Amino acid sequence: MSDAAAPTGEVLSPSQVRCFMDCQMRWWFKYALKHADPATGKMALGRAVHAALTQNFAQKVETQEDLPMTGVVALFRDAWAREREQTEFRDDEDPAELGACGEALVSKYMDEAAPLIEPAAVEMRVQGELGGVRVQGWIDHRFEDRGTKSPAGSNPITGSRSRPMHN
């Protein structure tokens, strides 16, 4: 089930539905006419943080160890440099300030959250059908719960959970 082969609106993703609910005209421009919104600094920051954390978790699936924090911050800096080149910063967005914020976010996440996460898979494409409508999306990472109790939102049979790294 490929989006390229499907007519506009035949296969939906959560972001498409959210866009449509926010503004139908924006959805039409973005998905039917292929005129995406220009990337803002905050969008670029989110993608750069996501890229760095994804690389950490992708290797952690194999090694069960996080990369050193300095390594993940360096991955963020590389991703941020690429994002900056493609971004239209708003007047109230300072690229240097956003970069420093991203480094702080990555550092805090690596210090507090990443050690608790045991990923089983990273960047999983999912697709299916809901109420006769084809849907697709991505799960940032799926992790295994190794504790004795299944936390809220987990599958009590397998102990596995899927969770986005961001909202």
Side-chain angles (χ1 to χ4, degrees):
M1 184 164 73
S2 163
D3 345 341
T8 300
E10 187 174 307
V11 179
L12 298 177
S13 66
S15 57
Q16 279 194 49
V17 173
R18 184 174 43 251
C19 180
F20 185 84
M21 297 301 288
D22 287 345
C23 179
Q24 294 173 11
M25 187 57 87
R26 182 171 164 237
W27 179 90
W28 179 254
F29 279 109
K30 186 173 184 176
Y31 294 101
L33 301 179
K34 309 293 187 219
H35 294 296
D37 295 333
T40 65
K42 291 176 184 175
M43 292 167 66
L45 175 63
R47 284 192 300 268
V49 168
H50 181 91
L53 296 177
T54 296
Q55 289 182 56
N56 174 65
F57 289 128
Q59 71 77 39
K60 191 174 182 179
V61 169
E62 302 298 322
T63 67
Q64 286 76 48
E65 296 288 330
D66 286 307
L67 293 170
M69 186 183 308
T70 55
V72 182
V73 169
L75 291 169
F76 165 78
R77 288 179 183 148
D78 290 344
W80 179 240
R82 288 189 303 275
E83 290 291 339
R84 283 178 67 159
E85 293 174 7
Q86 304 166 20
T87 301
E88 288 183 27
F89 291 94
R90 296 180 183 169
D91 291 341
D92 64 339
E93 294 178 327
D94 176 3
E97 193 175 292
L98 286 170
C101 177
E103 288 185 24
L105 287 169
V106 167
S107 296
K108 187 157 185 74
Y109 192 93
M110 291 303 298
D111 185 46
E112 295 180 15
L116 305 175
I117 297 172
E118 297 180 35
V122 178
E123 294 295 316
M124 295 173 37
R125 182 175 171 83
V126 293
Q127 51 192 3
E129 194 170 300
L130 293 173
V133 177
R134 292 179 7 187
V135 294
Q136 66 182 12
W138 291 89
I139 295 175
D140 295 328
H141 66 271
R142 183 176 64 84
F143 63 92
E144 298 297 325
D145 174 33
R146 307 248 193 272
T148 57
K149 292 185 178 179
S150 295
S154 71
N155 180 327
I157 307 295
T158 64
S160 67
R161 281 175 88 160
S162 297
R163 163 191 282 180
M165 288 189 281
H166 52 81
N167 287 329

